[in-house]
Amino acid sequence: MRKWIPLAAGSSGALLAQPRSLSGVSLMNVKGTETLSLPLQIVVLLTLLTVLPAVIMAVTPLLRITVVLHFLRQALGTQSTPSNQVLIGLSLFLTILIMQPVVEQMYAQGWKPMERGELTSLEAFDQGSRPLKAFLARFVREPDAQLFLKLTHGPPPARPMDLSLNVLIPAYVLSELKTGFQIGAILYLPFLIIDLVVASVVLSVGMVQLPPVMLSAPLKILLFVLVDGWNLVVGSLMKSFY
């Protein structure tokens, strides 16, 4: 037989006032306002994971590094060597090395105070985005920032850090593309000279049937190895961000 346990007066109201939880996720925060349900949280998380690679590419040095390494591979004429996986892996680790201080500042200024309940989510986002804004503003060219200010009809700020992220991020992407193409053009010049010299020699001796690429490719690789090209390129890329 079931035993009915009588509840004290007011106990049912106390039970109803307690926030329900599912798998440790509370559906009511400390202020009493309902948060997102667990299925909706999963949907939001999966959406953020989908756009995460594009976000990392847009707001980190990964953009410049991948563009430069791609130009370098094309200049060497090695086709698919190193492979895309190797270049992306190298670019990712270099990006982590550069962005580690910025991420630590964002975590300390935004996420930790929000965990302690000192800031709301909007205030934490504002505080945590300041180190990122400072990083982006260092590499944004003024014409690119002015272009997006005109497109968004925003007022000109007193400082570059006062620009909003919807202006800083696309301006940063354009600036990094220009910088990457400039570095790639400089990398192309010595290898282009080798191609021209080899092609002139091959044509002057009448070896029309022999493709000049077959002779110039080993010479370019040999020159790149002798000058320790990977060390020079990666070192110059890293120094350009400090």
Side-chain angles (χ1 to χ4, degrees), residues 221-242:
I221 295 175
L222 180 61
L223 173 65
F224 189 73
V225 172
L226 288 177
V227 300
D228 198 5
W230 287 111
N231 186 285
L232 292 175
V233 172
V234 173
S236 300
L237 276 174
M238 296 296 290
K239 291 177 182 178
S240 66
F241 289 100
Y242 292 100

Side-chain angles (χ1 to χ4, degrees), residues 189-229:
L189 291 178
F191 301 112
L192 179 61
I193 293 174
I194 294 176
D195 287 333
L196 292 175
V197 171
V198 171
S200 301
V201 172
V202 169
L203 292 177
S204 63
V205 298
M207 301 174 63
V208 183
Q209 302 298 327
L210 180 64
V213 179
M214 294 186 63
L215 296 177
S216 64
L219 292 177
K220 291 189 289 186
I221 295 175
L222 180 61
L223 173 65
F224 189 73
V225 172
L226 288 177
V227 300
D228 198 5

Side-chain angles (χ1 to χ4, degrees), residues 83-119:
S83 63
N84 291 331
Q85 290 82 357
V86 174
L87 295 183
I88 294 297
L90 176 60
S91 303
L92 186 59
F93 281 109
L94 295 179
T95 301
I96 293 174
L97 182 62
I98 296 172
M99 293 298 295
Q100 182 178 358
V102 180
V103 174
E104 290 177 352
Q105 293 178 10
M106 294 172 64
Y107 177 77
Q109 297 181 18
W111 186 266
K112 290 185 69 176
M114 186 180 67
E115 280 187 332
R116 295 193 296 262
E118 300 174 359
L119 299 175

Side-chain angles (χ1 to χ4, degrees), residues 75-166:
L76 284 172
T78 54
Q79 302 301 325
S80 59
T81 305
S83 63
N84 291 331
Q85 290 82 357
V86 174
L87 295 183
I88 294 297
L90 176 60
S91 303
L92 186 59
F93 281 109
L94 295 179
T95 301
I96 293 174
L97 182 62
I98 296 172
M99 293 298 295
Q100 182 178 358
V102 180
V103 174
E104 290 177 352
Q105 293 178 10
M106 294 172 64
Y107 177 77
Q109 297 181 18
W111 186 266
K112 290 185 69 176
M114 186 180 67
E115 280 187 332
R116 295 193 296 262
E118 300 174 359
L119 299 175
T120 63
S121 57
L122 293 178
E123 292 173 345
F125 178 80
D126 181 65
Q127 294 289 335
S129 62
R130 290 183 180 181
L132 180 62
K133 288 182 178 180
F135 175 81
L136 297 178
R138 288 171 50 196
F139 304 102
V140 169
R141 299 187 307 122
E142 185 176 352
D144 296 329
Q146 290 179 352
L147 170 64
F148 288 100
L149 275 176
K150 292 179 181 178
L151 293 177
T152 56
H153 303 287
R159 299 178 304 166
M161 284 185 57
D162 296 334
L163 290 169
S164 60
L165 287 176
N166 60 348

Side-chain angles (χ1 to χ4, degrees), residues 57-58 60-76 84 87-88 90-92 94-95 172-188 230 233 237 241:
M57 178 69 75
T60 63
L62 185 67
L63 176 59
R64 182 192 302 186
I65 297 173
T66 51
V67 169
V68 171
L69 294 182
H70 176 75
F71 272 111
L72 176 62
R73 186 176 65 180
Q74 295 296 321
L76 284 172
N84 291 331
L87 295 183
I88 294 297
L90 176 60
S91 303
L92 186 59
L94 295 179
T95 301
Y172 173 80
V173 172
L174 289 186
S175 301
E176 288 297 283
L177 284 176
K178 181 177 181 179
T179 304
F181 272 68
Q182 289 175 340
I183 299 175
I186 296 174
L187 287 175
Y188 249 105
W230 287 111
V233 172
L237 276 174
F241 289 100

